[in-house]
Amino acid sequence: MKKKGLGARLRALLGGGLESEESFEDLEDSLVEADIGARTAMEIVDRLREVSRRERASGRDGIVELLRAELESLVLEVDFRLDPDRLNVVLVLGVNGVGKTTTIAKLATHFRETGQADSICLAAGDTFRAAAVEQLSIHAERVGVRIVKQGTGADSAAVVYDAVESARTRGDRLVLADTAGRMHTRKHLVEELSKIDRIVSSRAPDASYRRLLVIDATTGQNGLQQAEVFAGAVPLDGIVLAKYDSTAKGGIIVPISHRLGIPTAFLGTGEKYSDLRPFRRDAYVRELLDLS
Ligand SMILES: Nc1nc2c(ncn2[C@@H]2O[C@H](COP(=O)(O)OP(=O)(O)OP(=O)(O)O)[C@@H](O)[C@H]2O)c(=O)[nH]1
Ligand SMILES: [Mg+2]
């Protein structure tokens, strides 16, 4: 995985500590450069300025430690485990091309290999894009799980409905539902997701039903806007940050946690099915700052 760039920038910047106002501004720029976002970066640097003056910590190690603690206090994590006693339904959301379908195959692999689910069913809820159903079918076959599908153009909520019904009949532990990535209008998104929500809640009132939003780590601040739009449509239970391996930035989790209060559940770290890591904020912040 690529080293995160913020660590190197900090080392260069903090060679002799943070002595001047200019160096605080440079630090703020470095945080923005790492995708932490202008507002959140400003707040972090304001806090740092205040604490470092109060504690007279201007040396490199002191500053890095303050920054580490500050970032860790802003980042939210969720330990995303399946309920062992109920059917679990996980709806996977996100805009075009962020990594939803791949993430579903990775999640199926993860939950099976950690012993949380031995019978898993995928729902081909992306009925919009031609070839999406076929793509999910290929993943299902490779991972060795069942899939419930209809043709392109079918009603997405109806596919999720079928999958939930069939999972209940067969006693599956988990349904992982794919969704279309298009994000035409906010109104349409809200309507479509609300419909799926209503169906899952009414067909499986006793299930554990959660929604994960996939964000592409290479899209920068756009990820924050996407999270805001989806969170306005349905409650989100966690973020999966995909393509974390493909960027030296990766700071987008910080404003998503801090501004929107949405915790992160997983990091996607490559294209293989095993390239998914449960998110841990201490490890994430250390990696962001390139600390060992
Ligand atoms: N390097 C890397 N590539 C990834 C990761 N996750 C997904 N990808 C790649 O991103 C591309 C898009 O992934 P998909 O899973 O098809 O994305 P999607 O959101 O389902 O796309 P649509 O269905 O078109 O909206 C594929 O080439 C994946 O291999 C990741 O964590 N790291
Ligand atoms: Mg897809």
Side-chain angles (χ1 to χ4, degrees):
M1 196 180 313
K2 269 190 193 159
K3 278 202 158 188
K4 299 301 164 206
L6 183 58
R9 287 186 70 133
L10 286 181
R11 264 193 302 281
L13 177 66
L14 297 177
L18 270 187
E19 297 297 347
S20 62
E21 178 50 34
E22 223 169 87
S23 49
F24 277 107
E25 281 163 18
D26 288 345
L27 174 63
E28 194 173 315
D29 290 346
S30 302
L31 296 176
V32 172
E33 183 61 30
D35 275 350
I36 285 171
R39 263 175 80 184
T40 304
M42 193 174 77
E43 284 178 32
I44 292 173
V45 171
D46 283 349
R47 283 266 307 147
L48 227 59
R49 206 184 263 117
E50 181 195 313
V51 178
S52 73
R53 284 204 184 121
R54 196 173 62 225
E55 298 184 3
R56 303 214 163 115
S58 65
R60 180 182 177 274
D61 291 352
I63 294 290
V64 170
E65 176 48 29
L66 287 178
L67 182 58
R68 191 198 59 72
E70 185 63 22
L71 284 168
E72 216 177 289
S73 75
L74 298 181
V75 172
L76 304 173
E77 69 178 25
V78 55
D79 187 15
F80 200 94
R81 311 194 120 263
L82 299 184
D83 187 325
D85 302 316
R86 295 193 283 169
L87 171 63
N88 293 261
V89 179
V90 178
L91 193 64
V92 178
L93 310 168
V95 304
N96 269 324
V98 286
K100 294 177 297 297
T101 307
T102 314
T103 296
I104 287 180
K106 290 177 179 181
L107 287 168
T109 306
H110 167 78
F111 288 126
R112 197 179 49 203
E113 289 185 355
T114 52
Q116 296 183 65
D118 48 10
S119 54
I120 299 172
C121 172
L122 308 187
D126 180 357
T127 53
F128 181 74
R129 191 167 60 77
V133 176
E134 179 59 22
Q135 193 187 2
L136 192 70
S137 303
I138 294 170
H139 284 306
E141 196 178 319
R142 287 198 193 133
V143 177
V145 294
R146 224 155 55 75
I147 179 168
V148 167
K149 56 188 175 185
Q150 294 179 17
T152 302
D155 179 13
S156 181
V159 177
V160 178
Y161 172 99
D162 281 356
V164 169
E165 285 291 287
S166 112
R168 276 158 55 91
T169 311
R170 293 181 177 234
D172 287 340
R173 179 62 57 225
L174 171 64
V175 173
L176 286 165
D178 198 7
T179 56
R182 71 200 188 286
M183 193 156 77
H184 18 238
T185 63
R186 197 178 286 230
K187 181 164 166 276
H188 199 136
L189 181 84
V190 173
E191 278 171 5
E192 187 160 304
L193 296 180
S194 308
K195 187 170 167 192
I196 297 178
D197 265 10
R198 272 200 309 278
I199 285 203
V200 177
S201 310
S202 63
R203 295 319 301 166
D206 46 355
S208 158
Y209 170 44
R210 287 175 286 180
R211 308 150 195 96
L212 287 175
L213 178 69
V214 182
I215 297 282
D216 179 338
T218 67
T219 57
Q221 286 304 292
N222 217 312
L224 180 62
Q225 284 159 25
Q226 291 166 15
E228 204 167 2
V229 169
F230 277 90
V234 285
L236 297 176
D237 299 281
I239 299 289
V240 178
L241 185 66
K243 309 185 198 178
Y244 183 63
D245 54 300
S246 303
T247 175
K249 300 183 171 194
I252 191 67
I253 288 305
V254 182
I256 290 177
S257 288
H258 178 52
R259 307 234 80 85
L260 306 176
I262 308 166
T264 297
F266 295 99
L267 293 177
T269 58
E271 295 190 80
K272 297 196 300 294
Y273 292 153
S274 55
D275 290 332
L276 185 79
R277 278 185 1 211
F279 178 79
R280 295 289 168 260
R281 69 174 162 199
D282 53 347
Y284 166 77
V285 170
R286 290 193 153 273
E287 210 162 273
L288 198 61
L289 298 178
D290 197 12
L291 302 170
S292 52

